[in-house]
Amino acid sequence: MGADPVPPRPSHATKRTSGFGDAVFAALCQGAGILVLLLLGAIIVELFLGGLPAFRAFGAAFVASTEWDPVQEVFGGGVPIYGTLLTALLAILMAVPAAFGIAFFLTELAPNWMRRPVGVAVELLAAVPSIIYGMWGFFVIVPFMATTIQPPIIDTLGEVPIIGALFSGAPFGTGLFTAALILAIMILPFVAATMRDVFEQVPPVFKESAYGLGATTWEVMRGVVLPYTRTSVVGGIMLGLGRALGETMAVTFVIGNANRISASLFGPGNTIASLVALEFGEAGMGSLKLSALLALGFVLFVISFAVLAVSRWLLRPRLKG
């Protein structure tokens, strides 16, 4: 048998071409990263400069004031900021347990023939436009809440001391809780799909070792899968929270759009995104109202950045390890 042929050594021209291609590719990647930073910085600067007249006129009290009076040109962001934070928090509290249950079922309990159809159905929920969720919420969820859900809760929990104020009021169907419910349904597929994907990335040998030691399915999930995927799970939850903070049209349909803070979860309210969507078309160029809306946009950006910072802080022990 003859000796294996020796591959030809690359010529100097090939080396030069390869080196030039690598340099071009590196420059393009670096430029893409810089472009993202420039776009982000431009958005921040534009929102801050646009909202600067409102910040100058009302000072730090702008973020706490609950008065929104376009006639007197007195604007405060307390109501929409409160509504944004409350609805997003309630949506996460409702969506995360359901998303975990779906991911747990699809990766550990469901038979093989069922996993793909259910997984595809969950992912299809993410493709539904937000305005469709809003219309469905207004024509289906709001009447159902007003006639079936809210009346018995108001009649029972509404009479309980201390917590009764959270469930008091008239059963109109719209309100903060309904908006949070719609948001929870909207972010559910994002969080569930992320959890399912990361749960499937756990090496089978880890789970098999735990099963070999006598662990149950839940003990394997709690002691092996969740610690291994904690970083990605938190990232998926933060993705859902970011979607909930910035959602506009679906919330606008069902939240009631009232510029006041209500102690009841069934009371109407507002969010930053819904208020901007409703009021932006009526704000004249250069007006103080337009500046207040841009200032609210800047506040929403700051809130989103704070959420990201908190998520990074929560992940620090895992990242250092």
Side-chain angles (χ1 to χ4, degrees), residues 92 96 191 231-245 304 306-312 314-315:
I92 286 294
V96 170
V191 182
T231 299
S232 299
V233 167
V234 173
I237 294 174
M238 292 300 108
L239 175 65
L241 181 58
R243 174 74 187 273
L245 286 171
S304 301
V307 168
L308 177 60
V310 170
S311 67
R312 297 291 296 179
L314 291 174
L315 298 176

Side-chain angles (χ1 to χ4, degrees), residues 29-46:
C29 292
Q30 184 178 9
I34 294 175
L35 178 61
V36 171
L37 292 177
L38 291 176
L39 290 175
L40 184 63
I43 293 173
I44 297 173
V45 172
E46 181 65 23

Side-chain angles (χ1 to χ4, degrees), residues 222-294:
R222 183 184 61 185
V224 177
V225 177
L226 283 179
Y228 188 86
T229 61
R230 181 170 65 91
T231 299
S232 299
V233 167
V234 173
I237 294 174
M238 292 300 108
L239 175 65
L241 181 58
R243 174 74 187 273
L245 286 171
E247 181 52 46
T248 305
M249 294 310 301
V251 173
T252 305
F253 273 90
V254 300
I255 199 171
N257 302 306
N259 288 312
R260 64 176 183 269
I261 294 179
S262 174
S264 175
L265 298 178
F266 298 148
N270 236 329
T271 65
I272 294 176
S274 63
L275 180 63
V276 171
L278 289 173
E279 302 279 350
F280 194 83
E282 302 175 0
M285 291 298 297
S287 64
L288 188 59
K289 182 178 181 180
L290 178 61
S291 178
L293 294 175
L294 292 174

